[in-house]
């Protein structure tokens, strides 16, 4: 009896602590946003933070934007459930930064103003290219937003102690998750509509510090528990996972050997290759990362910010190893999947277990869980703000100002449309997220990477490096790659025909891979080449001007 009462008291304390910390963080970030709104006077302030951030500040903000719920919750969960195969996400997300640094960071900063489409449309007909870029930006952002919202729903159910069969304030687990998704959606719209890029950037910088601190503290506690003996940590993780030695070897999730079924084995290996291609190429096509390069005053600062980001992000992804294997060893695979089938709550569950061990009793567990959960919330809120800003900026600047108004819209009209767009995008994301709750958030982000690499990357690279490239090629590349990726995902086991699909009770899947990148990315490049070759349009003078601008920064705003 006493034990039951103590457990109930512990869970009530955890709830109160978590809600208090969460409300404190929301209050601080809203204060930053209101302060930033007073500094936001022009379109440049709203879209690019007045280009006033240093390389270090922008590097922290990029880190804050990139280390999303997928990184913290999703990767830790996927490592905890699949061991070695989960670590592939950490490697892929990190290596992707080298592609972004080498191919696009500085050139984009030099040749654009506010959005990715500024670069694409520079040497082409404005209307068709900007329309295509706006459609692509919104599609990629919504895929990415799904991951953050699903992570938020899973996190809150854990924090409030809501498991299947239990309730909180009259809500069951599913209702509580939906309510959380709606709340996060409302907050992200407020951040963007009120604070613009300045508010969003400062929220991301604060969040990057919190996330690095939280991940580092948990890593040190995991290692301290095992007396810094990695061998015994991995051994315990393998035995607690229920998968034995296979947990530390490739082949649990990807590249699975199916005896007697060569075709199924082949598809599994192709899925792994497809995932790798999407992760490595996706970052250089992500709109919410690309617009961060416009917030710095010079190309040198753009390079510096990417170097800072690589250092911060690289360190963080090394820490996810300890978090994932630590969760497998200390919490156990069964306890993780009981709370969340996709493993999205592994890191917070690990925090609770470490709190019990090191801070003593249920109150210690509740305290550390509350702190890490507040950090995870900070992560989700900062990233959704960045994503919403990227997509609403593209709608307002590319589609409204340059397509509908033919460049005649005033700055005030443009910013107002961006704010209305944020509301619409937030609403769409909320509705879709409610159906995506069975999916692992790292996996959802991998899909966003595949869509970005299929639709945006071919157009960006061709535009920067191919003299013959033209309007027709850009439109074909964006729509072709985008359509291929979205159609293949829709007819894959991600959406139907599998127990973990968005619609598990339906089956219309015919594409066997979960990751479309291996087909859709080459298809995007092929469409861009074909569209260019079949059109006679060419403007070599404009290309020469873009080349000079992209390499020197001359004439850049």
């Amino acid at each position: 009896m006493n034990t039951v009462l103590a457990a109930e008291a512990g869970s009530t304390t955890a709830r109160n602590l978590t809600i208090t910390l969460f409300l404190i963080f929301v209050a601080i970030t809203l204060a930053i946003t209101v302060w930033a709104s007073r500094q936001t006077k022009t379109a440049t302030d709203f879209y690019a933070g007045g280009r006033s951030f240093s390389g270090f500040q922008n590097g922290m903000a990029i880190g804050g934007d990139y280390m999303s719920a997928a990184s913290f919750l999703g990767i830790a969960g996927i490592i905890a459930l699949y061991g070695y195969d989960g670590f592939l996400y950490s490697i892929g997300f990190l290596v992707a930064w080298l592609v972004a640094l080498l191919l696009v960071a500085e050139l984009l900063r030099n040749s654009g103003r506010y959005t990715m489409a500024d670069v694409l449309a520079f040497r082409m007909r404005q209307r068709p290219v900007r329309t295509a870029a706006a459609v692509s930006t919104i599609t990629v952002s919504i895929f990415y937003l799904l991951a953050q919202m699903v992570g938020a729903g899973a996190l809150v159910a854990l924090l409030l102690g809501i498991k299947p069969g239990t309730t909180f304030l009259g809500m069951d687990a599913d209702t509580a998750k939906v309510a959380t998704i709606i709340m996060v959606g409302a907050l992200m719209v407020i951040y963007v509509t009120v604070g613009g890029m300045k508010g969003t950037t400062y929220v991301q910088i604060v969040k990057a510090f919190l996330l690095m601190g939280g991940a580092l503290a948990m890593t040190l506690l995991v290692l301290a528990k095992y007396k810094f003996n990695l061998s015994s940590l991995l051994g315990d993780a393998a035995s607690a996972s229920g998968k034995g030695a296979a947990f530390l070897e490739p082949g649990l999730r990807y590249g699975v050997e199916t005896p007697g079924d060569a075709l199924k084995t082949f598809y599994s290996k192709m899925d792994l290759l497809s995932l790798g291609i999407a992760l490595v190429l996706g970052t250089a096509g992500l709109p919410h990362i690309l617009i961060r390069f416009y917030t710095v005053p010079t190309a040198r600062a753009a390079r510096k910010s990417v170097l800072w980001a690589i250092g911060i992000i690289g360190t963080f992804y090394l820490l996810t190893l300890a978090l994932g294997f630590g969760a497998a060893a200390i919490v156990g695979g069964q306890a993780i999947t009981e709370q969340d089938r996709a493993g999205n709550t592994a890191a917070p569950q690990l925090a609770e277990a470490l709190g019990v061990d090191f801070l003593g009793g249920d109150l210690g567990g509740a305290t550390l869980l509350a702190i890490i959960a507040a950090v995870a919330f900070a992560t989700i809120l900062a990233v959704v703000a960045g994503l919403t800003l990227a997509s609403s900026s593209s709608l307002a600047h590319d589609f409204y100002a340059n397509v509908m108004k033919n460049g005649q819209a005033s700055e005030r009209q443009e910013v107002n449309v961006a704010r209305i767009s944020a509301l619409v995008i937030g609403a769409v994301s909320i509705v879709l997220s409610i159906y995506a709750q069975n999916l692992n958030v790292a996996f959802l982000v991998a899909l966003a990477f595949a869509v970005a690499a299929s639709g945006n990357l071919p157009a960006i690279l061709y535009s920067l490096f191919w003299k013959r490239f033209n309007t027709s090629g850009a439109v074909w590349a964006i729509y072709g790659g985008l359509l291929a990726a979205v159609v293949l995902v829709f007819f894959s086991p991600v959406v139907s025909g599998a127990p973990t699909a968005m619609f598990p009770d339906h089956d219309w899947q015919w594409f066997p891979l979960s990751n479309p990148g291996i087909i859709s990315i080459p298809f995007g490049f092929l469409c861009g080449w074909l569209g260019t070759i079949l059109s006679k349009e060419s403007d070599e003078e404009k290309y020469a001007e873009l080349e000079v601008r992209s390499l020197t920064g001359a004439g850049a705003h």
Side-chain angles (χ1 to χ4, degrees):
M1 182 71 180
N2 288 340
T3 313
V4 173
L5 289 172
E8 283 179 4
S11 67
T12 307
T13 310
R15 285 178 182 179
N16 295 340
L17 256 173
T18 307
I19 293 166
T20 306
L21 278 170
F22 174 57
L23 291 175
I24 289 169
F25 179 78
V26 170
I28 291 167
T29 50
L30 284 175
I32 291 170
T33 306
V34 170
W35 168 81
S37 71
R38 291 176 182 162
Q39 323 291 316
T40 301
K41 296 180 173 65
T42 65
T44 303
D45 288 336
F46 186 85
Y47 292 134
R51 306 195 203 286
S52 57
F53 294 103
S54 68
F56 172 69
Q57 286 176 318
N58 196 44
M60 285 297 290
I62 290 173
D65 223 352
Y66 197 68
M67 297 182 301
S68 64
S71 303
F72 188 47
L73 302 176
I75 292 180
I78 217 161
I79 291 174
L81 297 183
Y82 297 102
Y84 180 94
D85 280 11
F87 181 51
L88 294 171
Y89 282 87
S90 296
I91 298 293
F93 285 146
L94 178 57
V95 171
W97 265 106
L98 299 176
V99 178
L101 173 64
L102 293 171
L103 289 180
V104 299
E106 185 180 347
L107 303 178
L108 269 176
R109 159 64 192 73
N110 286 343
S111 42
R113 281 188 75 189
Y114 302 138
T115 65
M116 174 187 79
D118 288 333
V119 178
L120 301 180
F122 181 78
R123 50 187 278 233
M124 296 164 198
R125 295 199 309 279
Q126 298 277 318
R127 285 188 159 189
V129 173
R130 285 191 183 275
T131 304
V135 169
S136 178
T137 298
I138 291 159
T139 308
V140 173
S141 297
I142 285 175
F143 265 96
Y144 217 111
L145 278 166
L146 287 183
Q148 314 308 317
M149 310 282 226
V150 169
L155 190 63
V156 160
L158 171 69
L159 295 178
L160 301 179
I162 307 172
K163 292 185 178 178
T166 62
T167 60
F168 175 71
L169 296 178
M171 295 185 289
D172 61 17
D174 292 336
T175 313
K177 285 182 180 182
V178 171
T180 307
I181 286 169
I182 293 168
M183 179 188 67
V184 171
L187 276 170
M188 79 180 181
V189 171
I190 292 168
Y191 287 149
V192 173
T193 53
V194 176
M197 178 58 94
K198 274 193 178 171
T200 300
T201 300
Y202 283 118
V203 168
Q204 285 162 345
I205 290 170
V206 169
K207 168 255 156 142
F209 275 113
L210 286 174
L211 186 58
M212 286 299 287
L216 188 60
M218 282 174 67
T219 298
L220 290 172
L221 290 176
V222 168
L223 293 175
K225 184 174 173 68
Y226 283 91
K227 298 183 172 58
F228 291 83
N229 185 333
L230 289 177
S231 181
S232 62
L233 167 62
L234 295 175
D236 273 15
S239 54
S241 70
K243 315 245 175 38
F247 188 72
L248 303 177
E249 296 168 3
L252 265 186
R253 183 179 171 100
Y254 296 107
V256 179
E257 295 277 352
T258 309
D261 194 337
L263 191 63
K264 200 170 180 184
T265 302
F266 173 74
Y267 285 150
S268 188
K269 291 185 175 178
M270 284 299 103
D271 216 5
L272 170 61
L273 186 60
S274 191
L275 169 69
I277 293 169
L279 291 181
V280 169
L281 297 179
T283 299
L286 289 175
H288 71 295
I289 298 295
L290 296 179
I291 64 168
R292 291 237 56 93
F293 298 129
Y294 299 135
T295 65
V296 289
T298 63
R300 187 162 179 255
R303 278 198 307 276
K304 196 173 173 184
S305 62
V306 178
L307 291 172
W308 272 110
I310 287 175
I312 294 160
I313 293 163
T315 306
F316 177 77
Y317 284 129
L318 279 176
L319 301 180
T320 58
L321 263 180
L323 299 181
F325 284 114
I330 297 165
V331 181
Q334 190 179 341
I336 293 167
T337 48
E338 275 174 13
Q339 176 63 43
D340 185 273
R341 270 189 295 175
N344 294 323
T345 55
Q349 283 176 278
L350 172 63
E352 189 172 21
L354 290 170
V356 170
D357 279 357
F358 285 92
L359 303 178
D362 288 341
L363 184 58
T367 306
L368 194 55
L369 170 61
I371 292 167
I372 294 304
V375 169
F377 265 125
T379 298
I380 290 163
L381 292 173
V383 174
V384 293
L387 287 161
T388 313
L389 184 68
S391 40
S392 60
S393 298
S394 185
L395 256 182
H397 179 65
D398 297 328
F399 189 71
Y400 173 76
N402 286 290
V403 175
M404 288 176 65
K405 292 288 187 180
N406 215 13
Q408 302 303 309
S410 70
E411 284 197 347
R412 180 182 284 275
Q413 285 175 316
E414 207 175 307
V415 171
N416 285 342
V417 170
R419 289 177 167 145
I420 295 163
S421 304
L423 271 169
V424 175
I425 289 156
V428 171
S429 305
I430 287 167
V431 173
L432 288 175
S433 302
I434 290 166
Y435 290 101
Q437 293 180 65
N438 286 337
L439 301 171
N440 178 280
V441 290
F443 171 72
L444 277 170
V445 165
L447 288 185
F449 272 55
V451 176
S454 306
N456 295 342
L457 190 64
I460 291 169
L461 292 183
Y462 279 148
S463 193
L464 289 170
F465 299 110
W466 187 17
K467 189 186 292 187
R468 173 84 171 77
F469 195 51
N470 55 30
T471 305
S472 175
V475 172
W476 279 42
I478 293 172
Y479 285 135
L482 194 64
L483 202 62
V486 172
V487 167
L488 290 178
V489 168
F490 185 75
F491 290 105
S492 76
V494 174
V495 176
S496 71
T500 55
M502 286 177 79
F503 300 100
D505 300 328
H506 300 274
D507 186 0
W508 57 74
Q509 66 112 351
W510 51 259
F511 181 64
L513 308 184
S514 296
N515 297 285
I518 197 165
I519 306 289
S520 58
I521 296 170
F523 187 74
F525 278 99
L526 176 66
C527 287
W529 174 79
L530 204 58
T532 304
I533 295 301
L534 294 176
S535 167
K536 291 189 170 67
E537 179 194 346
S538 181
D539 191 340
E540 294 192 3
E541 279 184 23
K542 268 288 191 189
Y543 173 73
E545 189 183 338
L546 178 68
E547 193 173 33
V548 170
R549 274 176 62 144
S550 66
L551 292 172
T552 65
H557 297 273

PDB file of all heavy atoms in Angstrom, residues 6 42 48 64 88 96 108 152-153 212 227 245 258 261 305 325 336-337 373 375-376 415 446 466 469 521 539 556:
ATOM      1  N   ALA A   6       3.496   5.948  -2.558  1.00  0.00           N
ATOM      2  CA  ALA A   6       4.763   6.623  -2.881  1.00  0.00           C
ATOM      3  C   ALA A   6       4.907   6.790  -4.389  1.00  0.00           C
ATOM      4  O   ALA A   6       5.330   7.844  -4.884  1.00  0.00           O
ATOM      5  CB  ALA A   6       5.947   5.824  -2.328  1.00  0.00           C
ATOM      6  N   THR A  42      11.587  45.669 -40.831  1.00  0.00           N
ATOM      7  CA  THR A  42      11.559  45.537 -42.284  1.00  0.00           C
ATOM      8  C   THR A  42      11.417  44.067 -42.676  1.00  0.00           C
ATOM      9  O   THR A  42      11.522  43.178 -41.830  1.00  0.00           O
ATOM     10  CB  THR A  42      12.877  46.060 -42.899  1.00  0.00           C
ATOM     11  OG1 THR A  42      13.948  45.202 -42.442  1.00  0.00           O
ATOM     12  CG2 THR A  42      13.157  47.498 -42.491  1.00  0.00           C
ATOM     13  N   ALA A  48      15.343  37.510 -42.531  1.00  0.00           N
ATOM     14  CA  ALA A  48      16.773  37.189 -42.381  1.00  0.00           C
ATOM     15  C   ALA A  48      17.388  37.768 -41.112  1.00  0.00           C
ATOM     16  O   ALA A  48      18.608  37.836 -40.979  1.00  0.00           O
ATOM     17  CB  ALA A  48      17.542  37.686 -43.606  1.00  0.00           C
ATOM     18  N   GLY A  64      20.749  24.384 -33.459  1.00  0.00           N
ATOM     19  CA  GLY A  64      19.436  24.340 -32.827  1.00  0.00           C
ATOM     20  C   GLY A  64      18.341  23.925 -33.788  1.00  0.00           C
ATOM     21  O   GLY A  64      17.407  23.213 -33.429  1.00  0.00           O
ATOM     22  N   LEU A  88      23.184   4.338 -37.863  1.00  0.00           N
ATOM     23  CA  LEU A  88      23.328   4.816 -39.242  1.00  0.00           C
ATOM     24  C   LEU A  88      22.729   6.213 -39.408  1.00  0.00           C
ATOM     25  O   LEU A  88      23.209   7.021 -40.195  1.00  0.00           O
ATOM     26  CB  LEU A  88      22.629   3.846 -40.210  1.00  0.00           C
ATOM     27  CG  LEU A  88      23.244   2.446 -40.300  1.00  0.00           C
ATOM     28  CD1 LEU A  88      22.345   1.524 -41.100  1.00  0.00           C
ATOM     29  CD2 LEU A  88      24.629   2.511 -40.936  1.00  0.00           C
ATOM     30  N   ALA A  96      26.096  14.533 -43.878  1.00  0.00           N
ATOM     31  CA  ALA A  96      25.335  15.429 -44.747  1.00  0.00           C
ATOM     32  C   ALA A  96      25.830  16.867 -44.662  1.00  0.00           C
ATOM     33  O   ALA A  96      25.762  17.623 -45.631  1.00  0.00           O
ATOM     34  CB  ALA A  96      23.862  15.364 -44.361  1.00  0.00           C
ATOM     35  N   LEU A 108      25.168  29.962 -51.894  1.00  0.00           N
ATOM     36  CA  LEU A 108      23.798  30.412 -51.649  1.00  0.00           C
ATOM     37  C   LEU A 108      23.777  31.751 -50.936  1.00  0.00           C
ATOM     38  O   LEU A 108      23.017  32.644 -51.288  1.00  0.00           O
ATOM     39  CB  LEU A 108      23.050  29.376 -50.799  1.00  0.00           C
ATOM     40  CG  LEU A 108      22.287  28.290 -51.540  1.00  0.00           C
ATOM     41  CD1 LEU A 108      21.703  27.323 -50.539  1.00  0.00           C
ATOM     42  CD2 LEU A 108      21.185  28.884 -52.390  1.00  0.00           C
ATOM     43  N   ALA A 152       6.382  15.417 -29.990  1.00  0.00           N
ATOM     44  CA  ALA A 152       5.753  16.170 -28.892  1.00  0.00           C
ATOM     45  C   ALA A 152       4.628  15.373 -28.254  1.00  0.00           C
ATOM     46  O   ALA A 152       4.508  15.313 -27.020  1.00  0.00           O
ATOM     47  CB  ALA A 152       5.213  17.499 -29.424  1.00  0.00           C
ATOM     48  N   GLY A 153       3.813  14.734 -29.084  1.00  0.00           N
ATOM     49  CA  GLY A 153       2.697  13.939 -28.556  1.00  0.00           C
ATOM     50  C   GLY A 153       3.176  12.782 -27.696  1.00  0.00           C
ATOM     51  O   GLY A 153       2.664  12.543 -26.593  1.00  0.00           O
ATOM     52  N   MET A 212      22.463  20.564 -25.743  1.00  0.00           N
ATOM     53  CA  MET A 212      23.834  20.067 -25.571  1.00  0.00           C
ATOM     54  C   MET A 212      24.114  19.771 -24.105  1.00  0.00           C
ATOM     55  O   MET A 212      24.710  18.744 -23.762  1.00  0.00           O
ATOM     56  CB  MET A 212      24.847  21.090 -26.104  1.00  0.00           C
ATOM     57  CG  MET A 212      24.913  21.168 -27.608  1.00  0.00           C
ATOM     58  SD  MET A 212      25.408  19.625 -28.397  1.00  0.00           S
ATOM     59  CE  MET A 212      27.150  19.583 -27.991  1.00  0.00           C
ATOM     60  N   LYS A 227      31.084   2.877 -15.003  1.00  0.00           N
ATOM     61  CA  LYS A 227      32.487   3.164 -14.669  1.00  0.00           C
ATOM     62  C   LYS A 227      33.317   3.395 -15.941  1.00  0.00           C
ATOM     63  O   LYS A 227      34.465   2.994 -16.051  1.00  0.00           O
ATOM     64  CB  LYS A 227      33.087   2.023 -13.833  1.00  0.00           C
ATOM     65  CG  LYS A 227      32.365   1.839 -12.497  1.00  0.00           C
ATOM     66  CD  LYS A 227      33.013   0.772 -11.660  1.00  0.00           C
ATOM     67  CE  LYS A 227      32.437   0.715 -10.265  1.00  0.00           C
ATOM     68  NZ  LYS A 227      30.998   0.481 -10.202  1.00  0.00           N
ATOM     69  N   ALA A 245      23.617 -10.848 -29.435  1.00  0.00           N
ATOM     70  CA  ALA A 245      24.767 -10.300 -30.174  1.00  0.00           C
ATOM     71  C   ALA A 245      24.334  -9.592 -31.459  1.00  0.00           C
ATOM     72  O   ALA A 245      25.016  -8.670 -31.930  1.00  0.00           O
ATOM     73  CB  ALA A 245      25.747 -11.415 -30.514  1.00  0.00           C
ATOM     74  N   THR A 258      16.608 -12.549 -45.298  1.00  0.00           N
ATOM     75  CA  THR A 258      15.427 -13.401 -45.125  1.00  0.00           C
ATOM     76  C   THR A 258      15.692 -14.740 -45.805  1.00  0.00           C
ATOM     77  O   THR A 258      15.713 -14.816 -47.040  1.00  0.00           O
ATOM     78  CB  THR A 258      14.180 -12.735 -45.756  1.00  0.00           C
ATOM     79  OG1 THR A 258      14.080 -11.398 -45.263  1.00  0.00           O
ATOM     80  CG2 THR A 258      12.918 -13.514 -45.426  1.00  0.00           C
ATOM     81  N   ASP A 261      14.115 -16.198 -49.236  1.00  0.00           N
ATOM     82  CA  ASP A 261      13.408 -15.143 -49.975  1.00  0.00           C
ATOM     83  C   ASP A 261      14.420 -14.094 -50.441  1.00  0.00           C
ATOM     84  O   ASP A 261      14.642 -13.086 -49.783  1.00  0.00           O
ATOM     85  CB  ASP A 261      12.327 -14.503 -49.086  1.00  0.00           C
ATOM     86  CG  ASP A 261      11.346 -13.658 -49.893  1.00  0.00           C
ATOM     87  OD1 ASP A 261      11.739 -13.215 -51.006  1.00  0.00           O
ATOM     88  OD2 ASP A 261      10.214 -13.427 -49.425  1.00  0.00           O
ATOM     89  N   SER A 305      29.892  29.867 -39.766  1.00  0.00           N
ATOM     90  CA  SER A 305      28.714  29.337 -39.066  1.00  0.00           C
ATOM     91  C   SER A 305      28.542  27.847 -39.345  1.00  0.00           C
ATOM     92  O   SER A 305      28.147  27.083 -38.469  1.00  0.00           O
ATOM     93  CB  SER A 305      27.450  30.119 -39.446  1.00  0.00           C
ATOM     94  OG  SER A 305      27.164  30.016 -40.810  1.00  0.00           O
ATOM     95  N   PHE A 325      22.308   3.410 -26.597  1.00  0.00           N
ATOM     96  CA  PHE A 325      22.741   2.144 -25.973  1.00  0.00           C
ATOM     97  C   PHE A 325      22.473   2.171 -24.464  1.00  0.00           C
ATOM     98  O   PHE A 325      22.164   1.140 -23.868  1.00  0.00           O
ATOM     99  CB  PHE A 325      24.220   1.876 -26.271  1.00  0.00           C
ATOM    100  CG  PHE A 325      24.456   1.396 -27.679  1.00  0.00           C
ATOM    101  CD1 PHE A 325      25.165   2.175 -28.588  1.00  0.00           C
ATOM    102  CD2 PHE A 325      23.959   0.175 -28.109  1.00  0.00           C
ATOM    103  CE1 PHE A 325      25.362   1.745 -29.893  1.00  0.00           C
ATOM    104  CE2 PHE A 325      24.151  -0.271 -29.411  1.00  0.00           C
ATOM    105  CZ  PHE A 325      24.860   0.518 -30.313  1.00  0.00           C
ATOM    106  N   ILE A 336      10.544   0.297 -23.244  1.00  0.00           N
ATOM    107  CA  ILE A 336      10.475   1.417 -24.186  1.00  0.00           C
ATOM    108  C   ILE A 336       9.276   1.252 -25.123  1.00  0.00           C
ATOM    109  O   ILE A 336       8.485   2.182 -25.306  1.00  0.00           O
ATOM    110  CB  ILE A 336      11.798   1.537 -24.999  1.00  0.00           C
ATOM    111  CG1 ILE A 336      12.945   1.949 -24.068  1.00  0.00           C
ATOM    112  CG2 ILE A 336      11.650   2.536 -26.150  1.00  0.00           C
ATOM    113  CD1 ILE A 336      14.330   1.809 -24.675  1.00  0.00           C
ATOM    114  N   THR A 337       9.121   0.059 -25.688  1.00  0.00           N
ATOM    115  CA  THR A 337       8.021  -0.150 -26.648  1.00  0.00           C
ATOM    116  C   THR A 337       6.653  -0.175 -25.959  1.00  0.00           C
ATOM    117  O   THR A 337       5.647   0.155 -26.584  1.00  0.00           O
ATOM    118  CB  THR A 337       8.205  -1.456 -27.452  1.00  0.00           C
ATOM    119  OG1 THR A 337       8.515  -2.520 -26.551  1.00  0.00           O
ATOM    120  CG2 THR A 337       9.312  -1.324 -28.468  1.00  0.00           C
ATOM    121  N   ALA A 373      12.725  16.469 -20.294  1.00  0.00           N
ATOM    122  CA  ALA A 373      11.498  16.662 -21.076  1.00  0.00           C
ATOM    123  C   ALA A 373      11.339  18.124 -21.481  1.00  0.00           C
ATOM    124  O   ALA A 373      10.940  18.426 -22.607  1.00  0.00           O
ATOM    125  CB  ALA A 373      10.299  16.212 -20.261  1.00  0.00           C
ATOM    126  N   VAL A 375      13.759  20.185 -21.965  1.00  0.00           N
ATOM    127  CA  VAL A 375      14.754  20.386 -23.038  1.00  0.00           C
ATOM    128  C   VAL A 375      14.206  19.856 -24.368  1.00  0.00           C
ATOM    129  O   VAL A 375      14.345  20.499 -25.418  1.00  0.00           O
ATOM    130  CB  VAL A 375      16.084  19.681 -22.681  1.00  0.00           C
ATOM    131  CG1 VAL A 375      17.022  19.644 -23.882  1.00  0.00           C
ATOM    132  CG2 VAL A 375      16.764  20.385 -21.510  1.00  0.00           C
ATOM    133  N   ALA A 376      13.566  18.679 -24.315  1.00  0.00           N
ATOM    134  CA  ALA A 376      13.003  18.101 -25.544  1.00  0.00           C
ATOM    135  C   ALA A 376      11.894  18.990 -26.104  1.00  0.00           C
ATOM    136  O   ALA A 376      11.780  19.175 -27.317  1.00  0.00           O
ATOM    137  CB  ALA A 376      12.478  16.701 -25.261  1.00  0.00           C
ATOM    138  N   VAL A 415       5.025  40.697 -45.433  1.00  0.00           N
ATOM    139  CA  VAL A 415       5.187  40.144 -44.077  1.00  0.00           C
ATOM    140  C   VAL A 415       3.836  39.704 -43.520  1.00  0.00           C
ATOM    141  O   VAL A 415       3.732  38.672 -42.852  1.00  0.00           O
ATOM    142  CB  VAL A 415       5.888  41.166 -43.153  1.00  0.00           C
ATOM    143  CG1 VAL A 415       5.858  40.705 -41.702  1.00  0.00           C
ATOM    144  CG2 VAL A 415       7.339  41.390 -43.596  1.00  0.00           C
ATOM    145  N   ALA A 446      13.887  11.348 -42.051  1.00  0.00           N
ATOM    146  CA  ALA A 446      14.591  10.765 -43.202  1.00  0.00           C
ATOM    147  C   ALA A 446      13.740  10.900 -44.467  1.00  0.00           C
ATOM    148  O   ALA A 446      14.262  11.144 -45.558  1.00  0.00           O
ATOM    149  CB  ALA A 446      14.919   9.301 -42.935  1.00  0.00           C
ATOM    150  N   TRP A 466      25.639  24.584 -63.792  1.00  0.00           N
ATOM    151  CA  TRP A 466      25.441  24.200 -65.203  1.00  0.00           C
ATOM    152  C   TRP A 466      24.998  25.420 -66.004  1.00  0.00           C
ATOM    153  O   TRP A 466      23.903  25.944 -65.812  1.00  0.00           O
ATOM    154  CB  TRP A 466      24.395  23.081 -65.296  1.00  0.00           C
ATOM    155  CG  TRP A 466      24.242  22.493 -66.670  1.00  0.00           C
ATOM    156  CD1 TRP A 466      25.109  22.609 -67.727  1.00  0.00           C
ATOM    157  CD2 TRP A 466      23.140  21.705 -67.147  1.00  0.00           C
ATOM    158  NE1 TRP A 466      24.629  21.945 -68.816  1.00  0.00           N
ATOM    159  CE2 TRP A 466      23.419  21.364 -68.500  1.00  0.00           C
ATOM    160  CE3 TRP A 466      21.960  21.240 -66.562  1.00  0.00           C
ATOM    161  CZ2 TRP A 466      22.562  20.600 -69.272  1.00  0.00           C
ATOM    162  CZ3 TRP A 466      21.104  20.463 -67.325  1.00  0.00           C
ATOM    163  CH2 TRP A 466      21.397  20.136 -68.666  1.00  0.00           C
ATOM    164  N   PHE A 469      21.563  25.300 -68.033  1.00  0.00           N
ATOM    165  CA  PHE A 469      20.331  25.093 -67.256  1.00  0.00           C
ATOM    166  C   PHE A 469      19.361  26.256 -67.469  1.00  0.00           C
ATOM    167  O   PHE A 469      19.769  27.408 -67.538  1.00  0.00           O
ATOM    168  CB  PHE A 469      20.691  24.960 -65.778  1.00  0.00           C
ATOM    169  CG  PHE A 469      19.600  24.398 -64.908  1.00  0.00           C
ATOM    170  CD1 PHE A 469      18.951  23.224 -65.244  1.00  0.00           C
ATOM    171  CD2 PHE A 469      19.220  25.051 -63.732  1.00  0.00           C
ATOM    172  CE1 PHE A 469      17.950  22.689 -64.424  1.00  0.00           C
ATOM    173  CE2 PHE A 469      18.241  24.527 -62.917  1.00  0.00           C
ATOM    174  CZ  PHE A 469      17.601  23.345 -63.262  1.00  0.00           C
ATOM    175  N   ILE A 521      15.637  10.552 -56.157  1.00  0.00           N
ATOM    176  CA  ILE A 521      16.723  11.543 -56.301  1.00  0.00           C
ATOM    177  C   ILE A 521      17.313  11.506 -57.720  1.00  0.00           C
ATOM    178  O   ILE A 521      17.376  12.551 -58.387  1.00  0.00           O
ATOM    179  CB  ILE A 521      17.806  11.353 -55.211  1.00  0.00           C
ATOM    180  CG1 ILE A 521      17.197  11.609 -53.823  1.00  0.00           C
ATOM    181  CG2 ILE A 521      18.994  12.296 -55.446  1.00  0.00           C
ATOM    182  CD1 ILE A 521      18.090  11.233 -52.651  1.00  0.00           C
ATOM    183  N   ASP A 539      20.388  31.569 -71.102  1.00  0.00           N
ATOM    184  CA  ASP A 539      20.869  32.936 -70.854  1.00  0.00           C
ATOM    185  C   ASP A 539      22.247  32.850 -70.212  1.00  0.00           C
ATOM    186  O   ASP A 539      22.383  32.849 -68.995  1.00  0.00           O
ATOM    187  CB  ASP A 539      19.872  33.683 -69.946  1.00  0.00           C
ATOM    188  CG  ASP A 539      20.180  35.181 -69.868  1.00  0.00           C
ATOM    189  OD1 ASP A 539      21.339  35.554 -70.174  1.00  0.00           O
ATOM    190  OD2 ASP A 539      19.277  35.955 -69.513  1.00  0.00           O
ATOM    191  N   ALA A 556      25.444  41.011 -54.008  1.00  0.00           N
ATOM    192  CA  ALA A 556      24.496  40.334 -53.113  1.00  0.00           C
ATOM    193  C   ALA A 556      23.911  41.340 -52.135  1.00  0.00           C
ATOM    194  O   ALA A 556      24.563  42.294 -51.747  1.00  0.00           O
ATOM    195  CB  ALA A 556      25.200  39.218 -52.341  1.00  0.00           C
TER     196      ALA A 556
END
